[in-house]
C-alpha cells in the first residue's frame, strides 16, 4: 500500500500536463558560447557544470528524496546540441501529435527559434553526421531497410557503476581522478572528469542549501524534521560514504540525475540494484517508504523524442531498468530479501518505471518465481524475465569472461549488458529482414527456393555492410561531438586508460544491431516454398502480381496464404527453421564487423514498437500481410493472431532460433487472459511455464495480462483508465498515452485462454 | 493401429493436473443434453461450417460451392480423422518440457475413450515409454476389456458422475449407473487414483438429492476428491456449425453461488472439492 502522501505524489505526477523543458538547452548553450575553441571534452564538462550550478531546484512537499530533473515532473528535455532540426520542424506539433504529447509554451518556442536554433544549426551532432553520411546509407534509411537510432539524441544504453560511488563517495572518485591526473596532467578526459566530479559535489551542496531555504519557509513540525534529516544526509554524502539506506538512496539518486543532466539520454539503466544496495538494506517500514519514493521519482523522468523516433519507442520509456536476482559472479544464486522487496513494491506503485526485470536460473527459488508471477498477474507487464542459462552462454560466445557474464544486467528494454564494463551502443540500429525479402523478390524471377534464399542472403550481406557504415559513423559522432566524461568516470577502465567511453575507454565495446521481421520472413518463405515451388499452385509471376497489387480483388488467395499454410509460432519445424536459418545468417554477418572503439558488432532481435513503422515500409508479403501492415511484434513473437496452437507451441517455435547468437538481446511477448492466472494453482502453472521457458534456452519473456475488454474500454474511455500500465515491448507505458496504432496492436496480440 | 480423434489440445490447464495435452477421441454412445463437444458424438468424420469465418468467396445462389480443401479460411472443415499412435505421439511429445516443469502430462478424453479401448491402451503405453504422466476422462459406463492394463498404464482417472438415479441416468443419458459404480470399484481395488468430476447443470445434476447420492457413493468406496464443472453454453455455436439441434439453447450459465454451495456441501462431507480442475 502507498501512504496517503505518496498516493498524492503519484496522482500529481500523472495529472500534471507534460511540458517541453528548454532549461537544460539554454544553460548548455550559454556555456558552449563561452568555450569556443576548447577541447570538446572540456566543453561538455563545463556545460554540465553550468547546468548543475544553475538549473531550477524544486522539492515536492511529499518528497523524502531530494533532487529533480526538471521544474515540473515528466517534462521533455530537448537537446538541440544533438539536433535542433526535428524540434523546429515539429515545434507546432508537440501538443497534437499521435504519440508522446507535450505542451511547448509560446515563450519557450520563441527562445528556441531565436536563440537556440540559430546557434545549433550547423553545430549539432546531426550536422556532423549529415556531413559525412554516404548516399547509400541515406537511401537505405529512407526505405527503412534499416534505421540508425542515435543520430539526434544522447547515446545512453549503459549501466554505470553505482556500487563504487556507494563505497568510496564523490571524494573517493575525485581522489582516483586526481591520482591519474598527476601522471597525465594534460589529458583532456581526466580534466573533464575532474570538472564533473567536483561539480557533482557542489551540486549536492547546492541542493542542501536549497532544502535549508525550504526549511525556513516551513511551519509543519513533521516536515521540518524531515527536511532537517535531508539536509544532514546531503551534507554527508556530498563527499562522504553513505551509512544507511536513506543516504545510499539519496546519493544514488543524485548520481542518476547528474547522468541525466549530462547525456539527456534514454536508458542509463540501474543494473543489479538488489546486489549493490543489499548492504544498506534492512527490512522496516521506513525503508519500504524510501524505496516506494524512489520508484515514484524514477517516473518523474520521461524522454522526449521526435515524431519518427516516438513511433519506434512509443510511450517515452526512460529505461530505468532494474535487474533483480540471478546468479552472482561465482555462479551461485544471489536472490536476497531485497530482491523480494523490490518486486513486491511494484504492487504498491504500478507505474512503468523502474522497468523491473528478473533473472531466472535453474537455481531460482520457487518463492521468487511465485512472487514474480503474482506481479505479472497485476497486468502491468512487470517484471520481464531473463534466462541466465542462455544469456550467460551468449556472452561467453562473445568472449566475455565467465565472471563478467555471470554478472550481466539489462539496459533500456531487453538489451543485455555487463554493468560498468560495457559501452555496447545497444540500440544503435534496427535491420528490417522482411524488407530484404521484398528487395530480393523484385530482383528476378526465381525458379526454386534455394535460389531465392541465396539472393536474400546476398541482400542481407549488402545492407548489413551499409548499416555498419551508418552505425560506425554515428558512433564516432558521439565521440567527437558528445563525449560523456561524467558517465565515463563510472565505467571500468576509463580513468585508467584516461579515455572517454565513447572513445573506447571501457572494457567491452560492442555495437548492437537488431534484426527484425524474422517471424514474417518464416511465414512468407513457407508460402513461397510450398505454394509456388512445391505445389505449383501459382507461378512466381502470379505471386508477384498479387503482392504488387496488394491482393486487391483476390482476398481468397490472401486468406488461403494465411490459413492453409502453417505459420511460425505453431511448433512446425519446417516453417520455424526457414526464418531461423536467415536470422542466424544475419547474426553471423553482423558479428564479422568491428566498430571504431576496437569492439565488434553483435546482433539482437527486438522491435520495441518499431514493428509498426518498419511495417509501414514493407509492401504486401506472401504471408498474407497487406502493404504497410505491422510486422510481428516483440522481435521473436509470432505474427499477431497467427499462433493458434497455444502458448506452449509458441515457446517451442521461439526455442528453435539460435537464441544464444542474439547476444544484444531479444524479445518475446506472450499475452494471457487474466482467467489463466486465477488463484495459486494458476500462478503455479505460470511458474511452470517460466521454468520451461528457461529450459528451452529463450533469452527473454514478458507477459501482458489484461483482458481485451479492459483495453478496448480504456481506448474508448481514456479518462477512466489514466493509470492503466501496459507492456509495450521491453518496457511498460501508460496505455492511454500510446497512439491508437500501438493500442490496436496490443489489443490484437493473440491472447491465450483455456 | 489408428485412433479416431477430433483434436489434440495443447496447454490444457484443468484436466488432470499441471500443463497437459488432451487427445479427444471421437465417438460417444451417450447423449448428455448439455454436451459441449457435439463434434465428439459421431465416430465418423463430419463436415463443420463456421459461418463467422466465411468470406463468401464461392457463393452460387447463396450456396457455398467450395470443396472443403479449397475453403481459404477453413470456415468449412472436416472434423475427425484417423491418426496412428505414432502421429499422435509426435504431437504429444512436443510439450514434454512443460509436462515436466508443471507435473502435467497427457489426458485422453472424448467422446468416450472406452469406445476405442485397444487404440487408447496402445497410446497410453506409448506415453509410458516416454515417461509421461497419463490420465483419462471417461464416464466408465462401458465394459472394460483389460482393466489391469488400464490400471497399470493410466496414472489418474477422471470419472464423470452425472445423474445418480439409475432410471433417470438411463433415460436422459443412456448411462447404466450400476456399471459405472462397478467399474469404479474394480479400479479402486487395483489401486487406481480416481477423481470424480461432476458437470453442474441446472435441473439435471444440481439437485441436492443428486449431490447427496454422489457423496454417499464416494463415502461408500472411499473416494476423497471431486472437481465441479459449472455448465456453460460455449458449445452452442458448435451445434449450429454442425447443423445439429441443441436441447439446452435457452439454458443460462449456472449461477456461481449455486456451484459454491455445492462445493461447500462436499467439503462438509469431508471430500476435497474444487471448481474446474487443478
Amino acid at each position: 500500500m502507498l501512504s496517503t502522501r505518496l498516493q498524492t505524489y503519484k496522482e500529481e505526477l500523472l495529472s500534471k500536463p507534460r511540458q517541453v523543458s528548454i532549461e537544460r538547452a539554454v544553460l548548455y548553450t550559454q556555456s558552449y558560447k563561452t568555450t569556443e575553441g576548447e577541447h570538446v571534452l572540456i566543453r561538455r564538462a563545463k556545460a554540465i557544470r553550468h547546468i548543475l550550478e544553475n538549473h531550477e531546484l524544486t522539492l515536492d512537499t511529499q518528497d523524502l528524496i531530494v533532487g529533480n530533473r526538471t521544474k515540473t515532473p515528466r517534462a521533455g528535455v530537448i537537446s538541440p546540441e544533438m539536433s535542433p532540426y526535428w524540434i523546429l520542424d515539429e515545434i507546432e506539433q508537440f501538443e497534437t501529435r499521435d504519440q508522446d504529447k507535450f505542451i511547448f509554451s509560446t515563450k519557450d518556442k520563441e527562445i528556441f527559434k531565436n536563440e537556440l536554433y540559430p546557434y545549433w544549426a550547423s553545430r549539432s551532432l546531426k550536422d556532423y553526421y549529415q556531413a559525412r553520411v554516404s548516399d547509400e546509407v541515406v537511401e537505405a534509411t529512407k526505405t527503412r531497410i534499416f534505421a540508425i537510432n542515435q543520430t539526434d539524441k544522447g547515446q545512453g544504453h549503459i549501466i554505470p557503476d553505482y556500487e563504487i560511488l556507494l563505497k568510496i563517495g564523490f571524494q573517493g572518485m575525485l581522489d582516483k581522478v586526481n591520482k591519474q591526473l598527476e601522471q597525465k596532467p594534460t589529458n583532456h578526459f581526466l580534466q573533464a572528469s575532474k570538472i564533473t566530479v567536483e561539480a557533482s559535489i557542489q551540486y549536492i551542496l547546492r541542493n542542501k542549501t536549497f532544502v535549508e531555504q525550504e526549511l525556513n519557509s516551513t511551519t509543519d513540525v513533521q516536515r521540518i524534521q524531515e527536511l532537517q534529516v535531508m539536509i544532514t544526509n546531503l551534507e554527508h554524502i556530498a563527499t562522504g560514504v553513505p551509512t544507511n539506506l536513506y543516504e545510499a538512496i539519496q546519493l544514488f539518486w543524485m548520481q542518476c540525475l547528474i547522468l541525466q543532466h549530462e547525456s539527456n539520454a534514454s536508458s542509463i539503466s540501474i543494473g543489479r540494484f538488489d546486489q549493490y544496495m543489499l548492504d544498506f538494506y534492512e527490512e522496516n517500514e521506513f525503508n519500504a517508504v524510501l524505496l516506494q519514493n524512489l520508484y515514484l521519482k524514477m517516473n518523474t523522468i520521461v524522454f522526449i523524442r521526435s515524431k519518427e523516433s516516438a513511433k519506434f519507442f512509443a510511450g517515452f520509456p526512460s529505461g530505468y531498468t532494474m535487474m533483480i536476482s540471478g546468479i552472482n559472479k561465482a555462479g551461485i544464486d544471489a536472490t536476497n530479501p531485497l530482491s523480494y522487496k523490490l518486486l513486491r513494491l511494484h504492487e504498491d506503485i504500478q507505474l512503468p518505471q523502474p522497468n523491473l526485470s528478473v533473472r531466472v536460473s535453474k537455481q531460482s527459488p520457487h518463492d521468487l518465481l511465485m512472487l514474480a508471477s503474482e506481479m505479472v498477474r497485476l497486468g502491468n507487464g512487470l517484471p520481464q524475465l531473463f534466462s541466465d542459462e542462455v544469456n550467460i552462454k551468449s556472452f561467453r560466445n562473445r568472449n566475455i569472461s565467465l565472471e563478467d557474464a555471470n554478472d550481466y544486467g539489462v539496459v533500456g528494454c531487453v538489451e543485455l549488458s555487463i554493468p560498468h564494463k560495457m559501452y555496447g551502443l545497444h540500440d544503435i540500429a534496427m535491420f528490417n529482414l522482411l524488407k530484404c525479402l521484398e528487395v530480393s523478390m523484385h530482383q528476378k524471377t526465381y525458379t526454386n527456393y534455394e535460389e531465392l534464399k541465396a539472393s536474400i542472403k546476398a541482400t542481407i550481406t549488402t545492407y548489413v555492410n551499409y548499416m555498419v557504415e551508418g552505425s560506425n559513423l554515428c558512433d564516432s559522432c558521439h565521440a567527437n561531438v558528445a563525449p560523456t566524461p561524467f558517465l565515463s568516470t563510472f565505467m571500468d577502465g576509463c580513468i585508467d586508460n584516461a579515455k572517454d567511453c565513447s572513445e573506447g575507454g571501457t572494457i567491452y565495446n560492442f555495437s548492437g544491431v537488431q534484426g527484425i521481421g524474422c517471424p514474417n520472413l518464416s511465414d512468407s518463405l513457407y508460402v513461397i516454398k510450398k505454394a509456388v515451388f512445391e505445389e505449383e499452385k501459382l507461378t512466381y509471376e502470379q505471386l508477384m502480381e498479387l503482392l504488387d497489387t496488394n491482393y486487391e480483388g483476390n482476398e481468397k488467395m490472401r486468406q488461403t496464404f494465411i490459413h492453409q499454410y502453417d505459420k511460425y509460432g505453431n511448433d512446425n519445424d519446417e516453417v520455424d527453421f526457414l526464418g531461423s536459418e536467415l536470422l542466424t545468417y544475419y547474426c553471423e554477418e553482423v558479428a564479422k564487423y568491428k566498430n571504431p572503439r576496437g569492439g565488434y558488432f553483435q546482433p539482437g532481435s527486438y522491435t520495441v514498437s518499431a514493428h509498426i513503422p518498419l511495417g509501414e515500409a514493407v509492401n504486401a508479403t506472401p504471408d498474407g500481410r497487406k502493404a504497410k501492415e505491422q510486422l510481428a511484434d516483440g522481435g521473436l513473437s509470432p505474427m499477431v493472431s497467427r499462433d493458434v496452437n497455444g502458448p506452449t507451441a509458441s515457446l517451442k517455435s521461439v526455442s528453435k532460433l539460435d537464441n544464444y547468437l542474439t547476444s544484444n538481446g531479444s524479445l518475446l511477448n506472450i499475452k494471457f487472459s487474466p482467467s489463466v492466472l486465477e488463484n495459486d494453482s494458476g500462478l503455479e502453472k505460470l511458474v511452470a511455464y517460466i521454468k520451461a521457458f528457461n529450459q528451452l534456452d529463450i533469452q527473454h519473456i514478458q507477459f501482458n495480462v489484461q483482458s481485451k475488454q479492459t483495453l478496448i474500454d480504456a481506448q474508448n474511455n481514456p479518462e477512466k483508465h489514466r493509470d492503466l500500465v501496459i507492456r509495450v515491448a521491453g518496457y511498460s507505458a501508460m496505455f492511454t498515452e500510446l497512439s491508437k496504432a500501438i493500442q490496436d496492436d496490443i489489443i490484437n496480440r493473440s491472447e491465450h485462454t483455456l | 493401429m489408428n485412433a479416431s480423434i477430433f483434436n489434440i489440445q495443447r496447454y490444457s490447464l484443468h484436466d488432470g493436473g499441471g500443463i497437459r495435452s488432451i487427445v479427444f477421441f471421437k465417438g460417444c454412445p451417450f447423449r448428455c443434453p448439455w454436451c459441449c463437444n457435439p463434434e465428439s458424438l459421431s465416430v465418423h468424420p463430419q463436415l463443420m461450417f463456421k459461418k463467422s469465418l466465411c468470406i463468401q468467396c464461392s457463393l452460387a445462389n447463396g450456396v457455398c460451392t467450395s470443396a472443403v480443401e479449397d475453403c481459404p479460411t477453413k470456415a468449412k472443415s472436416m472434423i475427425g480423422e484417423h491418426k496412428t499412435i505414432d502421429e499422435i505421439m509426435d504431437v504429444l511429445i512436443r510439450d514434454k518440457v512443460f509436462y515436466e516443469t508443471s507435473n502435467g502430462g497427457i489426458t485422453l478424453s472424448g467422446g468416450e475413450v472406452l469406445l476405442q479401448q485397444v487404440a487408447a491402451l496402445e497410446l497410453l503405453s506409448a506415453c509410458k515409454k516416454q515417461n509421461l504422466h497419463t490420465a483419462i476422462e471417461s464416464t466408465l459406463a462401458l465394459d472394460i476389456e483389460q482393466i489391469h492394463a488400464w490400471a497399470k498404464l493410466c496414472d489418474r482417472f477422471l470419472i464423470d458422475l452425472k445423474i445418480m438415479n439409475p432410471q433417470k441416468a438411463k433415460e436422459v443419458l443412456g448411462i447404466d449407473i450400476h456399471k459405472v459404480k462397478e467399474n469404479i470399484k474394480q479400479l479402486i481395488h487395483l489401486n487406481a487414483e480416481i477423481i470424480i468430476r461432476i458437470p453442474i447443470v441446472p435441473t439435471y445434476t444440481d439437485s441436492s438429492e443428486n449431490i447427496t447420492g454422489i457423496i454417499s457413493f464416494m463415502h461408500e468406496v472411499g473416494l476423497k476428491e471431486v472437481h465441479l464443472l459449472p455448465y456453460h453454453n460455449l458449445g452452442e455455436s458448435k451445434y449450429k456449425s454442425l447443423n445439429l439441434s441443441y436441447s439446452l439453447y435457452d439454458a443460462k450459465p449456472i449461477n456461481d453461488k449455486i456451484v459454491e454451495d455445492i462445493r461447500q456441501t462436499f467439503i462438509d462431507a469431508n471430500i476435497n472439492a474444487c471448481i474446474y480442475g487443478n
Side-chain angles (χ1 to χ4, degrees):
Chain A
M1 275 285 288
L2 275 187
S3 61
T4 318
R5 64 189 290 172
L6 287 182
Q7 190 61 43
T8 311
Y9 187 67
K10 177 179 170 180
E11 276 158 22
E12 278 173 11
L13 264 188
L14 297 184
S15 59
K16 282 187 188 162
R18 290 182 305 277
Q19 308 277 348
V20 172
S21 167
I22 62 163
E23 183 187 41
R24 178 185 178 279
V26 168
L27 293 169
Y28 191 99
T29 309
Q30 281 172 0
S31 174
Y32 252 64
K33 284 180 176 168
T34 66
T35 57
E36 301 270 359
E38 294 183 51
H39 190 275
V40 63
L41 274 157
I42 305 298
R43 298 189 77 187
R44 286 276 287 182
K46 286 183 175 172
I48 294 149
R49 184 173 66 192
H50 191 62
I51 294 165
L52 296 182
E53 284 170 349
N54 293 289
H55 90 84
E56 187 173 347
L57 303 182
T58 64
L59 181 64
D60 192 285
T61 51
Q62 315 297 337
D63 217 334
L64 293 173
I65 302 168
V66 184
N68 63 301
R69 174 81 192 290
T70 44
K71 190 179 170 194
T72 56
R74 305 182 83 219
V77 177
I78 50 164
S79 276
E81 80 277 15
M82 304 312 267
S83 168
Y85 301 108
W86 71 267
I87 305 169
L88 186 70
D89 289 347
E90 300 176 16
I91 200 158
E92 298 304 335
Q93 297 166 31
F94 284 100
E95 285 176 44
T96 52
R97 58 191 197 166
D98 287 345
Q99 183 62 59
D100 296 9
K101 296 181 176 66
F102 288 89
I103 292 170
F104 202 156
S105 77
T106 313
K107 182 171 143 256
D108 287 352
K109 277 183 201 165
E110 288 309 305
I111 296 174
F112 179 82
K113 284 190 225 168
N114 300 330
E115 295 170 29
L116 301 176
Y117 181 85
Y119 182 78
W120 288 109
S122 82
R123 288 185 173 88
S124 73
L125 182 132
K126 189 78 178 179
D127 291 290
Y128 192 97
Y129 180 84
Q130 296 291 18
R132 290 163 180 79
V133 65
S134 70
D135 293 346
E136 288 83 358
V137 172
V138 170
E139 188 55 33
T141 314
K142 259 191 208 150
T143 52
R144 289 188 179 159
I145 294 182
F146 56 78
I148 305 292
N149 284 338
Q150 323 301 358
T151 61
D152 58 8
K153 55 184 173 294
Q155 192 61 255
H157 295 87
I158 195 161
I159 306 168
D161 199 345
Y162 301 97
E163 189 170 4
I164 193 167
L165 186 60
L166 296 172
K167 283 197 172 133
I168 69 174
F170 275 117
Q171 187 60 49
M173 294 306 296
L174 190 57
D175 293 345
K176 267 181 78 164
V177 177
N178 278 332
K179 206 172 145 207
Q180 267 296 86
L181 258 178
E182 282 171 21
Q183 310 290 320
K184 298 172 183 166
T186 58
N187 179 277
H188 290 125
F189 167 72
L190 294 172
Q191 290 170 351
S193 167
K194 181 177 175 160
I195 293 170
T196 62
V197 175
E198 285 175 340
S200 301
I201 294 170
Q202 292 310 314
Y203 182 58
I204 296 175
L205 293 173
R206 184 175 162 236
N207 271 277
K208 185 194 129 207
T209 309
F210 171 75
V211 181
E212 283 166 348
Q213 287 157 3
E214 289 288 295
L215 181 67
N216 293 336
S217 57
T218 306
T219 50
D220 182 88
V221 181
Q222 192 199 337
R223 189 61 179 163
I224 287 173
Q225 282 174 356
E226 286 170 359
L227 292 172
Q228 282 167 339
V229 177
M230 291 182 216
I231 290 163
T232 316
N233 285 348
L234 289 166
E235 182 161 18
H236 187 201
I237 60 155
T239 52
V241 177
T243 55
N244 57 37
L245 188 73
Y246 198 174
E247 289 181 351
I249 286 178
Q250 183 65 73
L251 180 58
F252 167 81
W253 183 244
M254 282 291 158
Q255 188 184 7
C256 287
L257 285 177
I258 299 163
L259 287 162
Q260 283 296 336
H261 287 307
E262 176 182 62
S263 303
N264 191 27
S266 136
S267 306
I268 301 174
S269 296
I270 301 168
R272 305 185 74 181
F273 191 87
D274 65 336
Q275 304 303 307
Y276 58 77
M277 273 294 172
L278 181 63
D279 284 349
F280 300 97
Y281 178 68
E282 53 184 292
E283 175 120 30
N284 62 47
E285 210 173 302
F286 183 65
N287 281 349
V289 171
L290 285 176
L291 289 167
Q292 286 171 338
N293 200 156
L294 178 65
Y295 276 28
L296 289 172
K297 297 222 59 140
M298 288 175 184
N299 289 285
T300 62
I301 296 178
V302 299
F303 192 66
I304 193 169
R305 300 164 184 279
S306 66
K307 257 189 346 193
E308 174 74 1
S309 175
K311 282 185 186 172
F312 284 71
F313 309 94
F316 26 76
S318 57
Y320 277 113
T321 311
M322 178 189 278
M323 193 59 122
I324 295 171
S325 183
I327 62 173
N328 62 16
K329 286 181 184 173
I332 313 287
D333 177 58
T335 312
N336 60 48
L338 183 55
S339 321
Y340 287 94
K341 189 71 197 176
L342 293 169
L343 260 179
R344 175 61 75 186
L345 281 178
H346 174 65
E347 190 173 19
D348 304 332
I349 304 293
Q350 302 207 35
L351 287 176
Q353 304 295 336
N355 186 5
L356 290 177
S357 310
V358 171
R359 283 176 48 172
V360 178
S361 84
K362 282 181 197 152
Q363 301 176 50
S364 295
H366 189 77
D367 284 354
L368 181 87
L369 298 181
M370 278 297 275
L371 179 58
S373 300
E374 204 184 322
M375 293 305 109
V376 163
R377 182 166 65 185
L378 294 172
N380 305 315
L382 294 159
Q384 55 180 345
L385 306 167
F386 293 84
S387 163
D388 276 5
E389 272 70 25
V390 63
N391 289 329
I392 291 165
K393 190 160 80 174
S394 312
F395 275 137
R396 295 292 289 140
N397 187 48
R398 303 277 174 228
N399 293 322
I400 289 178
S401 79
L402 178 61
E403 192 183 80
D404 287 344
N406 282 346
D407 197 37
Y408 80 94
V410 61
V411 301
C413 302
V414 297
E415 302 92 303
L416 305 167
S417 196
I418 307 297
H420 55 83
K421 290 188 177 182
M422 186 180 284
Y423 181 60
L425 259 63
H426 291 288
D427 195 39
I428 192 70
M430 285 186 165
F431 190 84
N432 194 339
L433 288 163
L434 197 61
K435 188 78 185 172
C436 288
L437 171 74
E438 183 185 298
V439 168
S440 303
M441 284 186 77
H442 279 93
Q443 282 169 353
K444 60 174 279 204
T445 299
Y446 299 91
T447 55
N448 64 65
Y449 179 71
E450 290 304 317
E451 199 186 359
L452 172 64
K453 188 170 75 185
S455 170
I456 299 168
K457 285 184 176 176
T459 307
I460 292 174
T461 304
T462 304
Y463 286 101
V464 162
N465 187 16
Y466 290 134
M467 173 176 67
V468 165
E469 185 190 319
S471 302
N472 281 344
L473 173 58
C474 181
D475 197 340
S476 60
C477 286
H478 283 267
N480 284 298
V481 180
T484 48
F486 181 74
L487 170 67
S488 300
T489 303
F490 294 93
M491 294 302 293
D492 287 14
C494 287
I495 295 176
D496 290 343
N497 297 327
K499 255 195 209 174
D500 194 85
C501 65
S502 62
E503 293 175 291
T506 193
I507 315 288
Y508 300 115
N509 290 285
F510 287 97
S511 298
V513 289
Q514 330 329 322
I516 75 172
C518 180
N520 302 87
L521 188 60
S522 288
D523 295 351
S524 297
L525 289 174
Y526 190 66
V527 171
I528 303 172
K529 187 166 185 266
K530 288 282 162 189
V532 177
F533 296 131
E534 289 178 21
E535 298 165 1
E536 298 180 355
K537 201 172 238 171
L538 74 172
T539 64
Y540 189 84
E541 288 87 348
Q542 286 169 331
L543 174 65
M544 291 307 288
E545 171 78 20
L546 280 176
L547 301 183
D548 289 344
T549 56
N550 198 19
Y551 295 103
E552 217 49 65
N554 213 328
E555 184 63 11
K556 185 173 178 183
M557 211 53 182
R558 192 176 85 87
Q559 292 293 337
T560 303
F561 288 168
I562 293 175
H563 297 284
Q564 300 291 338
Y565 296 90
D566 258 2
K567 297 289 181 292
Y568 168 83
N570 294 295
D571 198 10
N572 175 328
D573 290 356
E574 196 181 352
V575 185
D576 296 342
F577 284 123
L578 291 179
S580 170
E581 182 185 343
L582 288 167
L583 183 62
T584 298
Y585 181 79
Y586 167 79
C587 290
E588 286 167 349
E589 275 304 293
V590 160
K592 289 176 185 167
Y593 289 92
K594 290 188 87 166
N595 62 35
R597 290 164 288 121
Y600 281 89
F601 277 74
Q602 62 171 344
S605 191
Y606 61 82
T607 71
V608 197
S609 54
H611 51 287
I612 292 177
L614 292 185
E616 283 169 9
V618 185
N619 253 320
T621 40
D623 55 350
R625 191 192 134 277
K626 292 182 103 172
K628 297 186 167 38
E629 255 184 62
Q630 66 167 84
L631 309 181
D633 59 271
L636 305 185
S637 309
M639 180 64 175
V640 280
S641 75
R642 303 282 199 269
D643 52 332
V644 294
N645 286 351
T648 58
S650 309
L651 270 200
K652 289 295 299 295
S653 282
V654 178
S655 77
K656 286 171 222 171
L657 305 168
D658 288 332
N659 287 308
Y660 73 96
L661 284 179
T662 42
S663 49
N664 193 56
S666 58
L667 195 155
L668 174 63
N669 287 319
I670 296 281
K671 188 166 161 184
F672 284 114
S673 78
S675 63
V676 173
L677 299 180
E678 273 172 16
N679 64 44
D680 275 3
S681 144
L683 287 184
E684 287 284 3
K685 277 162 194 155
L686 181 59
V687 169
Y689 189 77
I690 291 167
K691 286 180 177 171
F693 140 81
N694 190 43
Q695 287 191 23
L696 287 168
D697 270 6
I698 297 168
Q699 293 181 299
H700 163 275
I701 195 166
Q702 62 185 16
F703 304 96
N704 257 326
V705 188
Q706 293 284 359
S707 71
K708 204 169 206 164
Q709 234 175 342
T710 309
L711 298 178
I712 291 169
D713 190 52
Q715 191 174 50
N716 296 331
N717 306 294
E719 67 292 345
K720 273 167 51 195
H721 297 272
R722 211 177 50 194
D723 58 351
L724 176 61
V725 174
I726 189 88
R727 204 71 182 160
V728 180
Y731 64 91
S732 293
M734 313 305 295
F735 183 77
T736 58
E737 292 178 354
L738 296 170
S739 73
K740 185 166 182 304
I742 294 165
Q743 289 182 348
D744 286 343
D745 167 43
I746 292 168
I747 290 170
N748 291 329
R749 288 177 196 168
S750 308
E751 177 178 282
H752 296 296
T753 53
L754 298 180
Chain B
M1 186 67 216
N2 280 335
S4 171
I5 65 169
F6 68 91
N7 191 13
I8 300 176
Q9 185 181 307
R10 296 165 71 170
Y11 190 66
S12 296
L13 300 182
H14 299 290
D15 301 275
I19 296 173
R20 306 188 78 86
S21 294
I22 308 186
V23 183
F24 287 96
F25 282 66
K26 193 156 160 46
C28 181
F30 311 114
R31 290 294 178 268
C32 306
W34 58 81
C35 182
C36 63
N37 286 330
E39 72 275 34
S40 74
L41 299 177
S42 164
V43 186
H44 305 292
Q46 280 164 287
L47 183 69
M48 197 159 186
F49 178 68
K50 292 182 190 154
K51 201 176 171 196
S52 63
L53 297 181
C54 178
I55 56 165
Q56 309 193 341
C57 62
S58 310
L59 283 189
N61 300 326
V63 179
C64 172
T65 59
S66 171
V68 175
E69 59 275 17
D70 291 338
C71 172
T73 60
K74 297 189 177 170
K76 238 181 188 178
S77 61
M78 287 306 285
I79 298 295
E81 53 189 335
H82 293 282
K83 286 208 164 197
T84 67
I85 302 302
D86 283 350
E87 284 171 336
I88 297 172
M89 283 309 292
D90 279 349
V91 179
L92 299 183
I93 205 68
R94 290 182 166 267
D95 279 352
K96 192 169 185 189
V97 61
F98 298 95
Y99 311 145
E100 285 169 359
T101 58
S102 69
N103 293 319
I106 307 303
T107 299
L108 313 191
S109 182
E112 175 49 66
V113 181
L114 294 182
L115 272 187
Q116 301 181 55
Q117 296 190 27
V118 179
L121 281 174
E122 202 174 309
L123 181 56
L124 288 175
S125 171
C127 289
K128 280 291 142 202
K129 279 190 192 130
Q130 296 289 345
N131 203 20
L132 305 180
H133 184 273
T134 55
I136 72 159
E137 218 174 352
S138 168
T139 60
L140 232 56
L142 292 173
D143 291 329
I144 302 177
E145 283 145 27
Q146 303 178 57
I147 196 152
H148 284 83
W150 280 100
K152 186 173 152 231
L153 295 172
C154 182
D155 299 311
R156 187 170 290 154
F157 291 81
L158 307 171
I159 306 303
D160 291 352
L161 284 180
K162 298 168 184 175
I163 299 177
M164 296 305 279
N165 177 305
Q167 199 188 336
K168 276 194 196 160
K170 191 81 206 163
E171 276 173 24
V172 179
L173 316 170
I175 280 180
D176 176 356
I177 193 74
H178 294 299
K179 185 167 283 175
V180 174
K181 289 179 172 178
E182 269 320 299
N183 282 335
I184 290 177
K185 284 175 188 165
Q186 281 203 52
L187 283 173
I188 290 173
H189 184 66
L190 295 170
N191 289 321
E193 183 192 327
I194 294 176
I195 296 170
I196 298 298
R197 310 226 302 179
I198 310 168
I200 306 293
V201 188
T203 75
Y204 287 97
T205 66
D206 64 342
S207 71
S208 62
E209 183 197 346
N210 196 44
I211 299 299
T212 313
I214 293 173
I215 289 175
S216 62
F217 173 70
M218 289 182 75
H219 280 158
E220 179 195 333
V221 296
L223 289 177
K224 289 277 179 219
E225 189 165 358
V226 69
H227 293 169
L228 307 177
L229 313 179
Y231 168 76
H232 60 73
N233 48 8
L234 297 178
E236 186 180 324
S237 63
K238 289 201 225 170
Y239 282 85
K240 282 184 189 152
S241 305
L242 288 163
N243 220 358
L244 296 173
S245 65
Y246 182 42
S247 54
L248 288 190
Y249 270 138
D250 297 331
K252 299 264 181 306
I254 195 157
N255 179 319
D256 288 349
K257 169 87 168 63
I258 295 173
V259 181
E260 182 51 35
D261 287 349
I262 293 174
R263 193 181 76 88
Q264 198 54 51
T265 311
F266 278 98
I267 305 260
D268 293 343
N270 261 328
I271 292 172
N272 288 327
C274 71
I275 297 166
Y276 300 110
N278 47 21

